[in-house]
């Protein structure tokens, strides 16, 4: 069993595909077939899985793992999350690209440098990337992940800096605005899914 020091989720196993042990797998890589580029995948409890073959199937992949011999073994894995060590991921090529995993947990600061909370997750409901924050002890505060709303991202420094007005957290007159209403008026940043495009 291998315990990862800095795990990044790459996929989740879905339903069996056929009777020979193949599985449908939802990947978090830009290209589903890129899941095979990172070597063994690991479960949270440390089990490893080696990919023998992988092929696209719509927005998922059909995977044959060396450790899965038949449909019964495949059925037992439904819902299993698969991870790799963060160090296995290539660094983003663009300054404005970030892995979702690198954003989670970063401190949220305002323009004065005061810490307001932290990043809980990155969501995308079809209208662009949205940061899910905890602000002042409140979870579920949503802001658009755009240059105007989040003018600075420092993964190395452990924080993002937000503009509360552009983020929709305060009006021009500092009155509270509804949480999570993106302005849609500026260009989005580019967080990459866990595996990124290869």
């Amino acid at each position: 069993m291998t315990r990862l020091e800095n795990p990044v989720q790459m996929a989740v196993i879905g339903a069996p595909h056929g009777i020979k042990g193949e599985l449908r797998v939802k990947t978090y890589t830009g290209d589903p077939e890129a899941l095979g580029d990172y070597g063994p995948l690991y479960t949270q409890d440390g089990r490893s899985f080696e990919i023998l073959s992988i092929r696209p199937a719509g927005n998922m992949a059909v995977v044959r793992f060396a450790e899965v011999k038949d449909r019964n073994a495949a059925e037992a894995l439904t819902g299993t999350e698969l991870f790799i060590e963060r160090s296995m991921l290539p660094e983003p090529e663009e300054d404005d690209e970030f892995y979702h995993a690198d954003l989670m947990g970063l401190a949220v600061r305002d323009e004065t440098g005061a810490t307001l909370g932290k990043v809980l997750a990155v969501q995308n409901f079809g209208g662009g990337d949205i940061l899910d924050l905890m602000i002042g002890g409140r979870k579920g505060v949503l802001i658009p992940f755009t240059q105007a709303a989040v003018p600075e991202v420092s993964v190395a420094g452990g924080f993002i800096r937000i503009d509360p007005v552009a983020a929709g957290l305060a009006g021009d007159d500092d009155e509270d605005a509804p949480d999570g209403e993106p302005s849609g008026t500026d260009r989005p940043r580019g967080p990459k899914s866990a595996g990124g495009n290869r």
Side-chain angles (χ1 to χ4, degrees):
M1 299 273 184
T2 300
R3 296 284 182 172
L4 302 180
E5 291 183 14
N6 190 7
V8 174
Q9 186 177 355
M10 299 295 288
V12 61
I13 295 175
H17 182 80
I19 60 172
K20 297 182 179 179
E22 288 186 314
L23 289 148
R24 293 177 61 81
V25 175
K26 179 180 180 181
T27 72
Y28 300 118
T29 56
D31 171 9
E33 291 181 274
L35 185 66
D37 296 345
Y38 299 99
L41 302 168
Y42 298 89
T43 61
Q44 287 184 320
D45 61 9
R47 292 175 292 158
S48 68
F49 289 87
E50 177 188 353
I51 294 176
L52 294 180
S53 66
I54 184 169
R55 65 182 187 277
N59 60 352
M60 300 185 78
V62 174
V63 179
R64 179 181 300 281
F65 293 107
E67 298 77 8
V68 182
K69 306 298 185 188
D70 56 37
R71 186 176 178 90
N72 290 339
E75 286 175 348
L77 293 172
T78 299
T80 301
E81 297 173 338
L82 298 172
F83 301 83
I84 63 168
E85 187 64 53
R86 169 62 180 88
S87 61
M88 296 297 294
L89 293 174
E91 291 305 314
E93 296 176 6
E94 304 291 332
D95 289 341
D96 250 10
E97 287 186 336
F98 311 93
Y99 287 114
H100 291 182
D102 290 343
L103 297 171
M104 290 186 284
L106 294 182
V108 177
R109 298 180 182 171
D110 65 13
E111 65 276 9
T112 70
T115 299
L116 305 175
K118 67 178 181 178
V119 179
L120 298 177
V122 181
Q123 309 286 353
N124 190 317
F125 304 109
D129 291 303
I130 296 172
L131 297 183
D132 185 349
L133 311 178
M134 177 186 289
I135 301 287
R138 285 182 21 227
K139 292 182 179 180
V141 177
L142 304 177
I143 68 167
F145 190 48
T146 60
Q147 187 74 41
V150 187
E152 183 178 4
V153 176
S154 176
V155 173
F159 71 92
I160 65 169
R161 183 172 55 83
I162 67 170
D163 178 326
V165 173
L169 300 179
D172 290 329
D173 55 3
D174 290 329
E175 291 179 8
D176 288 340
D179 293 339
E181 293 186 1
S183 68
T185 60
D186 57 333
R187 66 181 179 87
R189 287 187 170 274
K192 301 179 83 171
S193 53
N197 295 314
R198 290 180 61 83

